[in-house]
Amino acid sequence: MDASLEAFARQSLTNLFNAGERTQAGVRSRAAVLTAATLASYRSTKSLQEKEAFENIVLAASATGAVDVQWDTGYVPKRGRSDGFISRIDLLDVEKLGFFLNCRLTGDKIRQAEKQFSPLFASHPVLSDVIKRWSQLKTVRRFKPDDLDYWLDAAMVVDYTKSQQQNGGISTPIRDASATLFKDNKRIERLAPAVDILLSGNIDAEARPADEVWKEIGLFREERRREVLSRDHFVECYGDVIGAHWFERNERRFNQLLQCLATQVVVPFIGAGISVGGGFPTWADHLRQQGRTAGLPADQVEAWLIEGQYEQIIAHIEQQRGREVFAQEIRDAFDRRGRIQDIMLRISELFSGTLITTNYDRLLEQVFETYRATHVQVLNAATAIELSEHDKTTIIKIHGDIKDPGNCILGKAQYDAAYGEAELDLQLPVPKILAHYYCNNSLIFLGCSLRNDRTLQVFKATREAAGDAPFPQHFAIEQAPELHDALVARNAELLRLGITAIWYPKDQHHKVEAILRHIRIELSYMKTQMPRAADAKQLSKF
């Protein structure tokens, strides 16, 4: 028996069955029939075995009363078979043909779908439109009645994530949620079209990208978080176990920062590293430029930089060449417009209240005035508290503004006057404003070296003076040392200052922008869900 013509017979009868279902559903006006043209593969065979293989299947269907078989004119069937060929097959009973082919009727499938959807119609009324569309023998985003389980699972995902949102849960890795619900960490990712329709409530709505669907219900692809938070780098750099440990620290700290941003005011503290992309030097590179202009030995400048003795370089230049040389180099480096990079846009998207910076340049003002059409007030340490207007974006320039170089804190004598000469004076304007924000707001340090400079000395002294008093949690997006021992030491050093570090690979400074962008994405979702959670809690009181 030839398997190919037997398969052709079954496929032909299946096509006849499908046509019969369309006629029964009213979407086809003609009767279901197979003509000589559609049976050409069978009618052209030269093999008796092939011919009989086809006819055996068709005649078996005919014997059940499912179809009527007609033969070529002039050939009289004997014992159900003829020397001629079958010329036409008419459908007599679609249910009997379905039973013969072991094919469930679409009507039966739809009735089963209605039964299983019935508990869901109230919360997901669009499922009634899915049933109607299936009754017309049409698909919904390529889903057929055979795909009933996809819709049931999609409804489970939507209901689960809504309950998480109402309980104040933050974004969840999609595969964690999938494993929790289905014991299959990839199941949810296959449900995006059905979830999209349940969320939109419209079977004809334009399909959205899967990531947009997941964002609406608080799920995210873990691979993206792993990439942003540098899991592969940590594993490669520190080994499987230790690398996974530090990635987990990164992820938990990322979540802590999200919660702070969602529930309270976080003030960014912006250092020279953020201005590098705008065409300005880091403070260390600027001191190298200062050294070259002043004719200092390069090896001596590097030695001071390694020791963190930045003020020693300034003092040496002022003593040997005069303060004017140092001040002019500041103007040459910072008194110009810079290029606005993506990192600056992310900062302006996330923070529009108060920003603190030690930078002299005007990149922050540029980005808010150019891209946010925001009224910006620039204050110094002495005027920050008294003159701050809450309806404006406030940029506090701790060390001065290049537009007013005469009042910039540049040299050692000015640093001494601003912070205290023999010892730190917390009552002076600069330490006072730094201590105020350190005690009352969560700070996030961006582009800051956080080494042994005067600002850190203020934070240390403030903590010591406060004793056991609680402080807000502060954050820094910080490049990780290459050696694990150095990472452990640096982590402890920052935590002693109350600063929680989110680490990125050494010298991969583009990661700072990527982390801020991912914060914005997840934060925008969290903020849209918070009113819903509050409404749900309010309703639960009634």
Side-chain angles (χ1 to χ4, degrees):
M1 184 176 291
D2 188 272
S4 63
L5 273 188
E6 180 181 7
F8 177 66
R10 289 190 176 279
Q11 184 58 56
S12 297
L13 291 175
T14 300
N15 293 342
L16 186 66
F17 171 78
N18 291 336
E21 288 225 291
R22 291 195 295 275
T23 300
Q24 194 175 67
V27 296
R28 174 188 169 102
S29 58
R30 293 177 298 164
V33 62
L34 297 174
T35 63
T38 57
L39 302 176
S41 294
Y42 148 73
R43 292 175 58 83
S44 64
T45 183
K46 303 298 183 183
S47 168
L48 179 61
Q49 284 185 319
E50 291 180 354
K51 179 175 182 292
E52 290 182 346
F54 180 90
E55 292 170 355
N56 286 340
I57 299 296
V58 174
L59 292 174
S62 177
T64 68
V67 298
D68 177 63
V69 180
Q70 298 182 27
W71 299 83
D72 287 338
T73 303
Y75 290 88
V76 179
K78 298 177 182 178
R79 294 185 298 279
R81 191 184 300 283
S82 168
D83 292 337
F85 286 86
I86 295 172
S87 61
R88 181 184 176 97
I89 303 173
D90 288 281
L91 177 65
L92 299 179
D93 192 317
V94 68
E95 291 186 19
K96 290 181 179 179
L97 183 56
F99 183 81
F100 175 78
L101 294 170
N102 197 28
C103 292
R104 289 181 64 207
L105 293 171
T106 298
D108 292 340
K109 297 175 186 177
I110 291 173
R111 282 188 286 276
Q112 181 185 356
E114 284 182 305
K115 182 178 180 180
Q116 295 196 251
F117 282 171
S118 59
L120 302 172
F121 283 139
S123 55
H124 303 289
V126 72
L127 289 175
S128 63
D129 296 328
V130 173
I131 293 291
K132 290 176 184 176
R133 185 64 58 85
W134 283 346
S135 298
Q136 299 167 354
L137 299 187
K138 297 179 181 179
T139 62
V140 179
R141 299 276 180 92
R142 299 186 179 180
F143 287 122
K144 304 175 182 177
D146 300 298
D147 303 313
L148 172 62
D149 286 346
Y150 279 87
W151 293 93
L152 296 174
D153 288 353
M156 187 185 300
V157 170
V158 173
D159 294 343
Y160 169 77
T161 54
K162 283 185 176 179
S163 70
Q164 295 292 102
Q165 293 164 3
Q166 290 169 357
N167 292 326
I170 64 171
S171 300
T172 306
I174 190 170
R175 294 193 174 178
D176 285 359
S178 190
T180 298
L181 289 174
F182 306 113
K183 311 302 181 188
D184 174 356
N185 64 5
K186 295 184 180 179
R187 175 63 173 167
I188 289 181
E189 293 173 75
R190 297 191 286 269
L191 304 176
V195 172
D196 188 18
I197 285 176
L198 293 179
L199 293 173
S200 69
N202 184 354
I203 59 176
D204 295 315
E206 184 177 353
R208 294 181 293 173
D211 283 346
E212 189 174 329
V213 175
W214 305 141
K215 176 184 172 183
E216 181 174 341
I217 57 176
L219 301 178
F220 62 89
R221 295 187 188 277
E222 192 172 10
E223 292 85 350
R224 181 58 184 151
R225 256 204 185 191
R226 289 184 175 189
E227 177 188 347
V228 169
L229 298 177
S230 306
R231 184 185 188 281
D232 290 346
H233 168 81
F234 291 129
V235 169
E236 181 180 351
C237 191
Y238 307 128
D240 291 344
V241 175
I242 294 176
H245 169 83
W246 283 104
F247 168 73
E248 289 170 4
R249 299 285 83 70
N250 247 18
E251 189 167 35
R252 291 175 187 177
R253 295 169 181 193
F254 182 89
N255 288 337
Q256 292 162 19
L257 175 56
L258 279 178
Q259 289 284 18
C260 283
L261 286 164
T263 59
Q264 58 186 278
V265 176
V266 176
V267 175
F269 195 112
I270 297 168
I274 296 301
S275 295
V276 171
F280 297 101
T282 65
W283 189 238
D285 284 339
H286 175 68
L287 291 177
R288 291 186 180 96
Q289 295 171 355
Q290 287 275 6
R292 285 191 285 272
T293 299
L296 300 184
D299 56 350
Q300 180 60 72
V301 171
E302 288 301 320
W304 280 324
L305 290 174
I306 291 171
E307 295 171 3
Q309 299 295 324
Y310 292 179
E311 291 183 24
Q312 185 64 35
I313 300 173
I314 300 172
H316 201 78
I317 292 172
E318 290 183 336
Q319 289 170 5
Q320 287 200 352
R321 306 300 182 191
R323 183 174 182 274
E324 294 75 14
V325 171
F326 187 86
Q328 183 58 44
E329 190 67 23
I330 289 281
R331 294 190 191 93
D332 293 344
F334 298 105
D335 191 9
R336 56 188 172 83
R337 290 181 66 83
R339 300 186 301 273
I340 295 176
Q341 302 293 295
D342 287 346
I343 182 70
M344 300 301 297
L345 294 174
R346 299 295 86 79
I347 290 171
S348 69
E349 290 165 352
L350 287 168
F351 309 103
S352 58
T354 298
L355 302 90
I356 301 173
T357 183
T358 53
N359 299 344
Y360 306 112
D361 63 65
R362 298 186 57 78
L363 268 180
L364 284 172
E365 295 93 306
Q366 277 183 245
V367 71
F368 279 103
E369 291 169 353
T370 303
Y371 291 92
R372 302 287 159 230
T374 303
H375 294 293
V376 176
Q377 58 178 345
V378 179
L379 303 177
N380 58 36
T383 60
I385 294 180
E386 292 83 359
L387 300 181
S388 179
E389 298 179 44
H390 298 294
D391 60 339
K392 294 182 178 180
T393 295
T394 300
I395 301 173
I396 301 174
K397 294 199 162 184
I398 296 295
H399 293 159
D401 184 350
I402 195 63
K403 284 186 69 176
D404 185 16
N407 288 318
C408 286
I409 299 172
L410 302 174
K412 185 176 184 306
Q414 291 169 301
Y415 271 95
D416 287 344
Y419 287 90
E421 183 173 1
E423 60 182 28
L424 189 65
D425 185 350
L426 294 177
Q427 298 307 310
L428 290 172
V430 172
K432 192 172 184 178
I433 194 67
L434 289 173
H436 170 80
Y437 280 99
Y438 184 79
C439 293
N440 294 287
N441 295 91
S442 283
L443 300 173
I444 177 169
F445 295 90
L446 302 170
C448 302
S449 65
L450 295 177
R451 296 295 176 181
N452 187 30
D453 57 21
R454 301 272 187 133
T455 55
L456 286 194
Q457 291 171 21
V458 171
F459 300 149
K460 288 178 184 178
T462 302
R463 289 185 77 85
E464 291 171 0
D468 295 330
F471 282 85
Q473 184 178 14
H474 304 297
F475 298 89
I477 300 179
E478 173 91 354
Q479 58 179 332
E482 293 176 320
L483 299 178
H484 179 242
D485 288 348
L487 175 61
V488 170
R490 181 63 172 155
N491 184 65
E493 178 185 1
L494 291 174
L495 286 174
R496 283 193 293 272
L497 291 167
I499 300 172
T500 302
I502 297 171
W503 304 101
Y504 67 90
K506 182 176 173 60
D507 295 331
Q508 294 186 27
H509 303 300
H510 65 280
K511 286 283 191 177
V512 179
E513 188 274 333
I515 291 171
L516 293 180
R517 182 170 2 105
H518 204 68
I519 287 172
R520 178 178 59 82
I521 291 169
E522 293 202 25
L523 189 63
S524 65
Y525 160 74
M526 289 176 65
K527 287 185 174 179
T528 61
Q529 299 309 314
M530 288 172 72
R532 300 184 193 180
D535 291 343
K537 290 180 180 178
Q538 185 67 27
L539 287 172
S540 68
K541 297 177 181 178
F542 294 94

